C-alpha cells in the first residue's frame, strides 16, 4: 500500500538548490497531484515565502517551520514539529497525494526520520568555480550507491528534472 500522502524529504547543504528542486518538482507535478510543501529554517520562513512568491503552489499549501535551533534535529531526532505540520496539512487537504519536506540544510549529513518521510532526495551542488569533475562525481556515485539511483540535474536548464519526476511516478507512486 502506498502511503498517502507520499512524503519526500529534500536534504542537502545550505545553498545547494533544495528549494529550487522543490520548485521544479511542484511545477511539474501540480497539475497531476494534490501537493504541499513544508520547509524548515532556524529563525525564518524564508524558503516557504520564496516558494509562495514564485507561485509554486497556493500559499496555504506551503508551511514554513521555524525550528528555533538545529533544523536537522526537527527532521530526525525530534520530528514532532514537522509531524504536526503534516497533520495540519492533512486536515486542510485530505486528498493530499505528495508532500515535500525540505530540510534546513544546516548539517551536511542530515538524514530524515523514517517516521517523517517515505523517501529522500539529497541535493549536492557543484558550482563551476570549485573545479569539481562531474566524471569523478559520477564514478564515485556509482561506487557508493551501487545499484541505487542517483541523478545529475541542472535546475537552471531543467536537465534531469524529468528523471526525478519519473522516479516519483514509477518507483514511489507505482504509476505508469
Amino acid at each position: 500500500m502506498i502511503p498517502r500522502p507520499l512524503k519526500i524529504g529534500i536534504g542537502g547543504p545550505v545553498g545547494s538548490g533544495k528549494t529550487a528542486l522543490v520548485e521544479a518538482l511542484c511545477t511539474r507535478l501540480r497539475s497531476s497531484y494534490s501537493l504541499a510543501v513544508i520547509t524548515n529554517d532556524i529563525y525564518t520562513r524564508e524558503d516557504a515565502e520564496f516558494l509562495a512568491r514564485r507561485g509554486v503552489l497556493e500559499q496555504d499549501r506551503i508551511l514554513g517551520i521555524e525550528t528555533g535551533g538545529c533544523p536537522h534535529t526537527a527532521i530526525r531526532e525530534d520530528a514532532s514539529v514537522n509531524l504536526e505540520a503534516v497533520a495540519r496539512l492533512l486536515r486542510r487537504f485530505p486528498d493530499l497525494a505528495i508532500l515535500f519536506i525540505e530540510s534546513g540544510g544546516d548539517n551536511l549529513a542530515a538524514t530524515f526520520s523514517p517516521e517523517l518521510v517515505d523517501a529522500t532526495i539529497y541535493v549536492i551542488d557543484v558550482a563551476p568555480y570549485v573545479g569539481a569533475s562531474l566524471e569523478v562525481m559520477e564514478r564515485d556515485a556509482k561506487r557508493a550507491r551501487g545499484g541505487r539511483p542517483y541523478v545529475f540535474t541542472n535546475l537552471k536548464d531543467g536537465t534531469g528534472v524529468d528523471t526525478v519526476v519519473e522516479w516519483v511516478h514509477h518507483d514511489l507512486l507505482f504509476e505508469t
Side-chain angles (χ1 to χ4, degrees), residues 1-6 97 118 168-175:
M1 179 80 184
I2 302 165
R4 291 293 172 142
L6 172 66
D118 305 303
V168 170
H169 280 301
H170 297 292
D171 294 4
L172 299 180
L173 294 173
F174 302 105
E175 296 181 358

Side-chain angles (χ1 to χ4, degrees), residues 135-156:
E135 292 78 22
V136 170
M137 287 188 73
E138 184 167 29
R139 182 196 68 214
D140 291 349
K142 283 180 181 175
R143 186 180 68 239
R145 303 280 308 151
R148 295 182 312 258
Y150 68 92
V151 177
F152 282 85
T153 63
N154 180 336
L155 298 175
K156 293 186 187 236

Side-chain angles (χ1 to χ4, degrees), residues 20-173:
L21 180 61
V22 169
E23 178 180 14
L25 293 174
C26 286
T27 299
R28 284 176 170 78
L29 293 167
R30 66 186 174 204
S31 64
S32 301
Y33 300 100
S34 174
L35 306 176
V37 175
I38 297 170
T39 64
N40 286 266
D41 288 301
I42 297 175
Y43 297 115
T44 70
R45 292 187 169 106
E46 183 178 332
D47 292 333
E49 292 167 0
F50 173 82
L51 292 169
R53 278 193 312 273
R54 300 279 292 185
V56 171
L57 297 173
E58 297 86 10
Q59 192 162 356
D60 59 346
R61 290 180 173 271
I62 303 169
L63 286 181
I65 302 296
E66 293 180 38
T67 63
C70 296
H72 66 273
T73 299
I75 65 166
R76 188 178 55 222
E77 288 90 357
D78 181 8
S80 59
V81 67
N82 277 286
L83 291 169
E84 166 53 34
V86 170
R88 192 173 343 147
L89 285 167
L90 279 172
R91 284 190 299 272
R92 276 188 212 162
F93 307 103
D95 68 332
L96 198 58
I98 301 173
L99 174 57
F100 294 104
I101 303 174
E102 181 184 330
S103 80
D106 68 318
N107 185 320
L108 296 179
T111 57
F112 287 84
S113 166
E115 288 183 313
L116 183 59
V117 301
D118 305 303
T120 300
I121 298 172
Y122 196 82
V123 180
I124 302 171
D125 179 40
V126 181
Y129 49 81
V130 298
S133 164
L134 291 179
E135 292 78 22
V136 170
M137 287 188 73
E138 184 167 29
R139 182 196 68 214
D140 291 349
K142 283 180 181 175
R143 186 180 68 239
R145 303 280 308 151
R148 295 182 312 258
Y150 68 92
V151 177
F152 282 85
T153 63
N154 180 336
L155 298 175
K156 293 186 187 236
D157 69 11
T159 302
V161 177
D162 288 336
T163 303
V164 178
V165 168
E166 288 302 312
W167 174 71
V168 170
H169 280 301
H170 297 292
D171 294 4
L172 299 180
L173 294 173

